[in-house]
Amino acid sequence: MTRARYAISIFVVLTLLIIIGIAAYIWSHPKYEIVPDRGDGKSFNRSFSDGFEETDWYISDFTFKSLFYRAGWVAENVHFENPSISLEINRKPVDHQPYSGAEVQKRGYYGFGRYEVVMQAALGSGAVSSFFTHTDATFGDPHDEIDIEFLGNDTRQIHANVFADGKTTGSIYIDLPFDAAEEIHLYAFDWHPDSVTWFVDGEPVKTVTSAERPIPQNPGRIIMNIWTGTHDQYAWHGPPEFEDGARATYYCVSFRALGDDTPQCSDNDER
């Protein structure tokens, strides 16, 4: 081998090593933007018939390594079409995830009180559409969370849950007298220091207390998203057989802080 060929070989090997190193770095340092604002946590009532202001909402646009999620958040999958916003999931790969989902977060952090959403869930096995509060170590907090989720393989029930300091005693399933993917309905939960109560169209359907399971104590983000999970989640939400471009649609979101008497989604004419 001549010196020239030897030098070219070394150059090629080094180039490949650099490419591999960059790929490994990207994998271990995923694109992830932290939302820093904690806001004032005050009551609000946002009907999307009045518009969708990004000063009020953070649109997620990142992916991360996960043994749970198989969808990255893509800003283009958030659609505002008055009087609603819709979150789309499709089969367009993004970074190292095979599906593209969508997520919006209400700017600020919110604590005890009543949370309401007027929405229609996405249809299709594998699609999970949600409305929940959440915070975790990303923001320097314990993992606290309260969930309303709809699993696309059975949208005649709500999947609910609570996490306090990362701990939960398991899923809560609430049967519905309708298909949440076919109709628009009002869902809510009342969060108190010692209990959480879920509501459907203004009627209480489930209460858990601190005597039964830990109750979250830390204010969190209000988040709506649509996603699908890994093979390990198929027994829960079904295999990803949803129609490409399936959407969950949201018409109103409100928060009434404990002790307040401010308007909320149930006071609007959204349905």
Side-chain angles (χ1 to χ4, degrees), residues 33-39 58 105 107-109 138-139 221:
E33 182 177 350
I34 298 206
V35 190
D37 58 296
R38 287 193 174 258
Y58 169 79
Q105 304 180 23
R107 296 187 184 275
Y109 276 64
T138 304
F139 306 104
R221 314 288 294 183

Side-chain angles (χ1 to χ4, degrees), residues 190-247:
D190 251 333
W191 176 20
H192 290 252
D194 58 355
S195 68
V196 177
T197 299
W198 287 266
F199 297 79
V200 176
D201 293 330
E203 298 298 322
V205 292
K206 179 66 178 180
T207 297
V208 297
T209 69
S210 55
E212 303 168 76
R213 61 173 65 202
I215 301 298
Q217 300 295 309
N218 296 282
R221 314 288 294 183
I222 298 173
I223 301 175
M224 301 171 286
N225 61 26
I226 186 168
W227 56 279
T228 193
T230 63
H231 191 277
D232 290 343
Q233 314 308 320
Y234 290 4
W236 178 56
H237 62 43
E241 298 169 352
F242 51 83
E243 183 178 338
D244 196 33
R247 295 186 181 189

Side-chain angles (χ1 to χ4, degrees), residues 77-79 81 84-89 102 118-123 127-131 150 180-181 224-227 245-251:
N77 288 351
V78 178
H79 307 277
E81 298 165 341
S84 65
I85 65 166
S86 59
L87 306 183
E88 175 186 338
I89 187 166
V118 177
M119 66 174 290
Q120 183 172 347
L123 178 65
V128 181
S129 38
S130 66
F131 172 76
F150 299 92
M224 301 171 286
N225 61 26
I226 186 168
W227 56 279
R247 295 186 181 189
T249 306
Y250 302 79
Y251 295 83

